Amino acid sequence: MAPPPPPKSRGATQGINNAARIHFFSILLALQYGAQPLISKRFVRREVIVTSSVLVCELAKVLCAVFIMAKDGTLRRVYKEWTLVGALTASGLPAAIYALQNSLLQISYKNLDSLTFSMLNQTKIFFTAFFTYFILRQKQSIEQIGALFLLIVAAVLLSVGEGSRKGSSSVNADQILFYGIIPVLVASVLSGLASSLCQWASQVKKHSSYLMTIEMSIVGSLCLLASTFKSPDGEAMRQHGFFYGWTPLTLIPVMFNAFGGILVGLVTSHAGGVRKGFVIVSALLITALLQFIFDGKPPSLYCLVALPLVVTSISIYQKYPYQVKKKES
């Protein structure tokens, strides 16, 4: 009679559980990110002030994170260990960077055609990998670097396929450079930096992903509130009221988006910013599929070409991780 197989070590079991958790969170995030545009289109009226929906979404993220932490028993411990300096270091800086990045993207989008904007915007995946190496010393294998370039190509195709058909022929070259190309490139660098800082805070400093969600939501909301003193949204809220254009159904996409914010923190914490980039690009394919199912809009040729690129890049990235070379004795 053959002897029974040896039991798995605690470390191996924990590794398997962690991998399963990463896949579960990644699938949920891809589904949420892919379905969000369709849900928002159906339940958010054009009159709704964008800033009001964003602020309510941030509040919902805070409440969800607090509830989860209270449920798993970590809220009291985190509260006792919390410090202002630690919060500003772990979450304040990335939140401020993301706020600046979003402003730069808005400036750039108004001054670039969709093709140029999409191509330059997808370089954030490369910058995420760069800052992950620079800050966390997380190396990529040659195969993984190739997979990243495949993913960038797929992301550009998907973005162009879904992008608007606006031109920039009436804009002069200097305006394109200084108000279009430079802002989107700086935004891509900032996106990679902020994502890597979040990963550093959660994996090195062991900062709770739920706590980071709370802190970043608060900092981001404060930045957004400050902008309302001069922004068109702020003027609209003062004139028509905070909940202008809202219906009870508006809460559905707002809460769904808040759920996605929680998932982004979990995926970044457990899997890292680079893998989060793979999830987001994969979600664009889900959006195309859902548009075909519910709106009868067939996938574009760009989407059909991008599909095998995404599948191939994910397969290569997972199959060929970086291996530390053993020194010869």
Side-chain angles (χ1 to χ4, degrees):
M1 184 176 179
K8 292 182 179 179
S9 66
R10 184 177 179 181
T13 304
Q14 187 175 1
I16 294 173
N17 291 337
N18 190 51
R21 191 181 296 113
I22 290 173
H23 282 97
F24 178 68
F25 291 149
S26 299
I27 291 171
L28 285 181
L29 178 59
L31 292 173
Q32 180 275 326
Y33 200 90
Q36 186 70 47
L38 280 79
I39 295 176
S40 297
K41 184 179 178 181
R42 279 167 170 74
F43 297 119
V44 178
R45 296 167 58 185
R46 290 183 178 271
E47 297 83 5
V48 173
I49 302 170
V50 174
T51 299
S52 68
S53 64
V54 173
L55 288 173
V56 174
C57 178
E58 297 299 328
L59 176 61
K61 282 196 284 186
V62 171
L63 294 177
C64 288
V66 170
F67 174 78
I68 294 172
M69 292 172 70
K71 193 76 173 177
D72 63 17
T74 60
L75 181 61
R76 181 173 296 182
R77 176 183 60 80
V78 168
Y79 175 75
K80 290 180 178 179
E81 296 175 354
W82 185 88
T83 63
L84 179 59
V85 175
L88 292 175
T89 303
S91 305
L93 182 58
I97 291 174
Y98 276 130
L100 177 58
Q101 174 215 353
N102 290 332
S103 299
L104 290 171
L105 288 177
Q106 292 301 318
I107 295 171
S108 176
Y109 190 68
K110 294 176 182 178
N111 294 281
L112 287 178
D113 62 275
S114 60
L115 174 61
T116 305
F117 177 85
S118 298
M119 290 179 66
L120 295 176
N121 189 37
Q122 298 311 326
T123 58
K124 61 188 177 184
I125 300 172
F126 168 78
F127 287 116
T128 299
F130 171 78
F131 282 111
T132 300
Y133 168 74
F134 187 75
I135 295 174
L136 296 167
R137 296 300 175 186
Q138 190 176 69
K139 298 180 179 180
Q140 312 286 335
S141 66
I142 296 298
E143 292 85 357
Q144 287 182 320
I145 293 174
L148 287 174
F149 278 106
L150 278 179
L151 186 71
I152 291 173
V153 172
V156 170
L157 290 172
L158 289 166
S159 300
V160 171
E162 298 300 323
S164 60
R165 296 181 179 178
K166 69 173 190 174
S168 58
S169 56
S170 61
V171 184
N172 62 56
D174 287 341
Q175 187 170 344
I176 291 174
L177 176 62
F178 292 106
Y179 294 95
I181 295 175
I182 291 179
V184 72
L185 285 176
V186 174
S188 295
V189 173
L190 292 177
S191 176
L193 176 60
S195 181
S196 300
L197 287 174
C198 290
Q199 186 177 343
W200 169 80
S202 60
Q203 295 182 355
V204 178
K205 292 298 183 180
K206 304 301 180 183
H207 212 64
S208 166
S209 63
Y210 299 119
L211 180 59
M212 286 188 64
T213 297
I214 295 172
E215 294 168 344
M216 292 184 67
S217 293
I218 293 174
V219 174
S221 297
L222 291 175
C223 293
L224 198 56
L225 284 171
S227 71
T228 58
F229 288 101
K230 292 291 184 179
S231 68
D233 277 7
E235 181 63 31
M237 285 192 290
R238 287 188 290 271
Q239 185 176 353
H240 301 292
F242 186 85
F243 291 104
Y244 177 72
W246 280 62
T247 68
L249 294 177
T250 308
L251 283 172
I252 295 176
V254 169
M255 295 301 296
F256 199 61
N257 199 19
F259 174 64
I262 298 289
L263 288 173
V264 166
L266 291 171
V267 171
T268 303
S269 175
H270 290 88
V274 176
R275 292 201 179 188
K276 185 190 73 174
F278 279 86
V279 173
I280 298 303
V281 175
S282 302
L284 298 176
L285 295 173
I286 295 176
T287 300
L289 176 62
L290 293 176
Q291 283 182 336
F292 176 67
I293 294 174
F294 294 102
D295 295 339
K297 180 181 177 182
S300 65
L301 178 61
Y302 295 103
C303 181
L304 296 177
V305 174
L307 176 59
L309 293 179
V310 172
V311 174
T312 303
S313 64
I314 293 175
S315 176
I316 293 175
Y317 193 87
Q318 293 181 342
K319 189 175 181 180
Y320 300 100
Y322 178 80
Q323 301 288 343
V324 180
K325 295 181 180 179
K326 295 182 180 180
K327 295 182 179 180
E328 297 180 358
S329 56

